[in-house]
Amino acid sequence: MKILICTDGSLHAEDALRFGGFIAQKSQDPVKIMGVAESWGEEEKIKEVLSRASEILGEVPNLETLVRRGHAAEEILREIEKGDYELVILGARGRRGITRFLLGSTAARIVENAPIPVLIVRRGRPTLERILICTAGGEPSELDIRFGGRIARLAEAPATLLHVMSQLPLSARSGAEELEASFEVLVSQGTREALHLQSGLEMLKEVGVEGEARIRRGLVVDEILGEAQEGDYDLIVIGAHQASGLYRFLLDDITRQVVLGTDRPVLVVRPKD
Amino acid sequence: MKKIRRRITKIIFLLASLYLFILAILLLKEGARAVAPFAVQFFRVEHPLNALGFGWLFSYLILSGSPVAASALTFFDAGALDQIQAFMMISGSRLGAAFIVLLVGFLYTVRGHERRQSMVMGLLSLLVTATIYFPGLVLGYFLLTYHLLDFVQFGPGTEITSFLEQVFNPLLEPLASFLPAAVLFVMGIGLILFSLNLFDRSLPKVNLQRTGFAQAAYLIYRPVVMFLLGLAITTISPSVSVSLSILVPLSARGYVQQENVIPYIMGANIATLSDTLVVAVLLNNPPAVTIVVVDIVSIGLVSLAILLFSYTHYKRILTSVVNAINRSRLYLFVFVLVSLLLPIALLIL
């Protein structure tokens, strides 16, 4: 798994380096640290930033550094396209202040446009002991589980598979008793949700990760954020918003809402084309 | 062959429902001339809040909002209510109609069904309607008081009017000369209910099987999309409860999630006034058209303001309130009691 870590010297970026360093040390995979000089004369400063970044990263095999000049998000996306990366890691916010309340504009653009998984790191979560993998169902979710499982295995951390049932309990006639049932009851009834989670647990087991399944009911984003908070997870894994064409206008971007709403690192998994 | 027969039946239902709906409005108009002054005096509908309570309670009584909204316009047409009172009565009818969805859930609970599932939709329907209509009332009051939308007035046109007279007068005139006004009015109410029911039967049925979890579990539409869907479906089928029932099979298949319901109800609440707008046009009373337009505009503006500026907070608060009421029998009892007593209080103010 070739990793690209982006830094601008900010505190969030330093945390991203520590997070990336941890994964790279465990996996022994090659890492490239990238900095972008966005204005004339900034190259020297970025070189200093990269030198400090190498120190933070510690003992990592095949470490490279790269300085580019231009717009940060565009240059990072260009490098992702060019290189054979499997994961890009960056801090939630950079040095610029325009969008510092929520998510930096660079991070937001990378999450939206990168064709590979993106790990957004936030301050204050130095360890990786509990991982929450959000799963909706279907083939794309299997990829989320597999990728989340890989990270969990490297961190030797247990993973929780979460599925939020947000179907409508519209009326007593809708035959929706299962909307109230626990995971165990759903398993005994053989519902689609239970089967999906069971197969997800099998996938985790295959890669040697201890997993458990949880089902919550309610509004999807709120329940994911609630579970992340209550379970004190160190990382949320979620699939990227994949709507295209007309669906881009019709469907809500749940992933974006989770990334914006949480105070925890988020790994947004997107299948590479 | 069966398909063709079914289609022909649906077309007959559609034409019959349209005929009966227009006949119902003409009967209401005829009956309201005598009934309206008496009703307004008897229930002491003296100011806008009384009219709000009157419309609200009236729709409880007949378990439907549309005939009450139509009555409000005929009362206005007969001169028994002024523009603002008619506007308030129409709004009251929508609040009452929203409570009926809750009542259906409550009756299911009484009959032993699982409480949470029976009540959620009713609670959401009533709370969304109330939170939209109360600010909407203030806005509508302002728009009517300052005559800001008085330029929106239209009627059916002389050709349509004379066509309607030719088609309906041969039936209406003998009825009006033989039956007392009160009977005509009650017949009108009954016929509106019947014609709307017939109209719903003429629409194609949505009947999806429970499959498709794999591809459909992600589908959470943007609030504006569901708002427009609620608007479109309820324009076709003007009953909010019927329109909401369409969500059941869609939800079971995973196409609609809890997130989608609130904006859908918002859209439905606006579109449900479409039949009231038709009534205003049929009455050939341009200021009555303004009343309905004001209602649509004020509810629409409040809904859009929420959707565009504070939807996430609104959704969270509303869902928490629904869950809190639904978890406690005491809260549920208090909520139903308030919903029953509030219109009575407004009427006797």
Side-chain angles (χ1 to χ4, degrees):
Chain A
M1 177 160 63
K2 194 174 168 189
I3 302 169
L4 177 68
I5 307 174
C6 308
T7 178
D8 61 357
S10 66
L11 292 172
H12 279 269
E14 285 192 2
D15 279 358
L17 284 163
R18 286 187 193 97
F19 219 99
F22 173 75
I23 292 171
Q25 280 163 13
K26 290 280 183 182
S27 64
Q28 295 290 297
D29 286 324
V31 175
K32 189 179 275 184
I33 316 172
M34 179 179 178
V36 182
E38 290 198 288
S39 54
W40 289 103
E42 214 186 14
E43 283 93 339
E44 284 308 310
K45 200 174 149 195
I46 291 297
K47 277 179 190 163
E48 280 171 31
V49 165
L50 291 183
S51 150
R52 161 136 179 83
S54 305
E55 284 169 26
I56 293 172
L57 218 53
E59 291 296 310
V60 171
N62 303 320
L63 178 64
E64 289 177 65
T65 58
L66 173 71
V67 181
R68 284 273 180 82
R69 186 160 2 110
H71 186 276
E74 281 170 19
E75 291 304 319
I76 293 168
L77 286 170
R78 199 165 292 148
E79 177 60 24
I80 291 169
E81 289 287 341
K82 224 178 77 177
D84 191 22
Y85 302 103
E86 279 191 84
L87 176 66
V88 56
I89 304 175
L90 66 164
R93 288 182 304 203
R95 284 174 297 143
R96 284 177 296 176
I98 327 164
T99 48
R100 70 165 53 146
F101 291 115
L102 300 165
L103 187 70
S105 54
T106 304
R109 270 193 71 182
I110 304 297
V111 167
E112 219 159 278
N113 298 300
I116 58 169
V118 179
L119 175 55
I120 301 290
V121 179
R122 283 192 164 80
R123 300 223 65 207
R125 308 297 306 185
T127 55
L128 191 48
E129 287 171 5
R130 286 172 62 78
I131 296 175
L132 178 67
I133 305 175
C134 309
T135 169
E139 210 175 299
S141 262
E142 286 178 16
L143 188 79
D144 309 342
I145 296 169
R146 287 191 194 283
F147 204 91
R150 280 172 74 182
I151 302 292
R153 190 194 59 206
L154 291 173
E156 295 169 23
T160 301
L161 289 184
L162 172 69
H163 176 69
V164 181
M165 291 177 72
S166 186
Q167 288 95 329
L168 293 166
L170 278 175
S171 79
R173 285 175 298 177
S174 62
E177 294 83 7
E178 65 202 48
L179 296 184
E180 297 292 318
S182 67
F183 173 63
E184 287 72 24
V185 173
L186 293 182
V187 169
S188 69
Q189 290 172 347
T191 65
R192 297 160 307 185
E193 292 83 357
L195 291 174
H196 170 69
L197 286 172
Q198 272 186 317
S199 104
L201 289 175
E202 285 296 319
M203 284 178 217
L204 290 178
K205 208 172 165 185
E206 279 168 25
V207 292
V209 173
E210 184 193 328
E212 63 160 340
R214 284 186 63 80
I215 282 186
R216 290 178 70 119
R217 293 162 185 83
L219 305 172
V220 175
V221 174
D222 289 4
E223 292 303 324
I224 291 173
L225 298 180
E227 177 65 25
Q229 203 74 30
E230 287 164 29
D232 196 26
Y233 294 94
D234 302 308
L235 176 67
I236 301 172
V237 181
I238 190 166
H241 184 60
Q242 286 189 66
S244 59
L246 181 64
Y247 279 105
R248 192 175 269 273
F249 298 101
L250 295 181
L251 296 180
D252 227 357
D253 188 345
I254 295 299
T255 304
R256 184 181 162 80
Q257 291 179 43
V258 170
V259 173
L260 287 175
T262 187
D263 58 352
R264 277 135 223 279
V266 183
L267 172 60
V268 179
V269 182
R270 189 188 295 272
K272 198 166 183 177
D273 295 330
Chain B
M1 195 64 190
K2 243 183 186 176
K3 238 182 190 175
I4 296 171
R5 204 180 299 158
R6 210 178 299 147
R7 272 187 195 164
I8 292 171
T9 313
K10 283 196 179 292
I11 291 169
I12 292 170
F13 275 10
L14 178 71
L15 294 174
S17 68
L18 292 175
Y19 179 84
L20 292 174
F21 185 76
I22 298 171
L23 180 65
I25 301 309
L26 297 174
L27 285 171
L28 266 186
K29 184 179 180 176
E30 202 64 36
R33 284 182 194 147
V35 170
F38 170 76
V40 167
Q41 210 171 12
F42 184 80
F43 291 103
R44 293 185 182 173
V45 184
E46 289 162 359
H47 56 77
L49 288 180
N50 293 151
L52 180 67
F54 181 58
W56 196 334
L57 275 180
F58 195 175
S59 56
Y60 282 179
L61 198 70
I62 61 170
L63 296 178
S64 179
S66 291
V68 180
S71 304
L73 292 176
T74 56
F75 280 26
F76 171 70
D77 188 59
L81 294 179
D82 62 26
Q83 247 188 339
I84 290 174
Q85 286 172 328
F87 165 74
M88 289 292 194
M89 188 172 159
I90 292 170
S91 303
S93 76
R94 298 324 321 169
L95 288 161
F99 179 76
I100 292 158
V101 183
L102 178 65
L103 190 72
V104 173
F106 190 70
L107 291 177
Y108 268 100
T109 310
V110 172
R111 283 164 56 184
H113 288 276
E114 207 287 316
R115 182 158 58 93
R116 191 179 131 78
Q117 291 173 19
S118 310
M119 304 302 287
V120 165
M121 206 58 209
L123 286 167
L124 265 182
S125 161
L126 183 53
L127 282 171
V128 171
T129 307
T131 50
I132 300 292
Y133 261 89
F134 283 120
L137 283 175
V138 178
L139 185 60
Y141 183 88
F142 176 79
L143 291 172
L144 281 172
T145 306
Y146 292 97
H147 306 286
L148 296 176
L149 288 176
D150 278 5
F151 63 92
V152 191
Q153 294 189 347
F154 48 89
T158 46
E159 279 176 14
I160 293 176
T161 311
S162 79
F163 170 75
L164 292 178
E165 279 171 4
Q166 277 176 16
V167 174
F168 290 95
N169 276 2
L171 184 62
L172 195 65
E173 278 171 1
L175 282 174
S177 56
F178 286 111
L179 296 171
V183 175
L184 292 177
F185 190 79
V186 174
M187 266 179 77
I189 297 270
L191 268 184
I192 288 183
L193 286 171
F194 182 67
S195 63
L196 289 177
N197 187 284
L198 212 56
F199 186 77
D200 283 328
R201 286 180 189 210
S202 73
L203 298 173
K205 289 266 175 293
V206 181
N207 190 21
L208 299 167
Q209 295 301 310
R210 273 210 71 163
T211 54
F213 161 73
Q215 77 263 28
Y218 310 89
L219 300 182
I220 293 176
Y221 296 94
R222 287 184 196 276
V224 170
V225 173
M226 287 309 286
F227 174 77
L228 294 174
L229 190 70
L231 201 68
I233 290 180
T234 319
T235 303
I236 299 165
S237 166
S239 159
V240 174
S241 54
V242 171
S243 165
L244 288 179
S245 69
I246 289 170
L247 294 184
V248 176
L250 292 174
S251 163
R253 207 180 179 196
Y255 284 115
V256 178
Q257 313 286 328
Q258 280 188 40
E259 280 84 347
N260 304 137
V261 179
I262 292 171
Y264 186 92
I265 296 173
M266 285 178 173
N269 270 337
I270 298 170
T272 195
L273 290 163
S274 60
D275 62 333
T276 313
L277 187 62
V278 172
V279 172
V281 173
L282 287 172
L283 286 174
N284 201 9
N285 186 331
V289 172
T290 308
I291 296 171
V292 186
V293 170
V294 164
D295 215 344
I296 291 171
V297 168
S298 48
I299 298 310
L301 285 177
V302 174
S303 303
L304 282 175
I306 290 173
L307 278 179
L308 298 177
F309 302 115
S310 63
Y311 178 65
T312 309
H313 296 294
Y314 178 79
K315 179 177 72 178
R316 278 188 188 141
I317 293 169
L318 221 63
T319 311
S320 314
V321 173
V322 166
N323 289 340
I325 295 172
N326 216 11
R327 265 197 296 269
S328 153
R329 277 177 189 277
L330 177 69
Y331 288 172
L332 182 63
F333 177 74
V334 170
F335 186 79
V336 172
L337 196 67
V338 169
S339 303
L340 286 168
L341 294 181
L342 189 60
I344 298 174
L346 288 168
L347 185 59
I348 59 177
L349 260 176

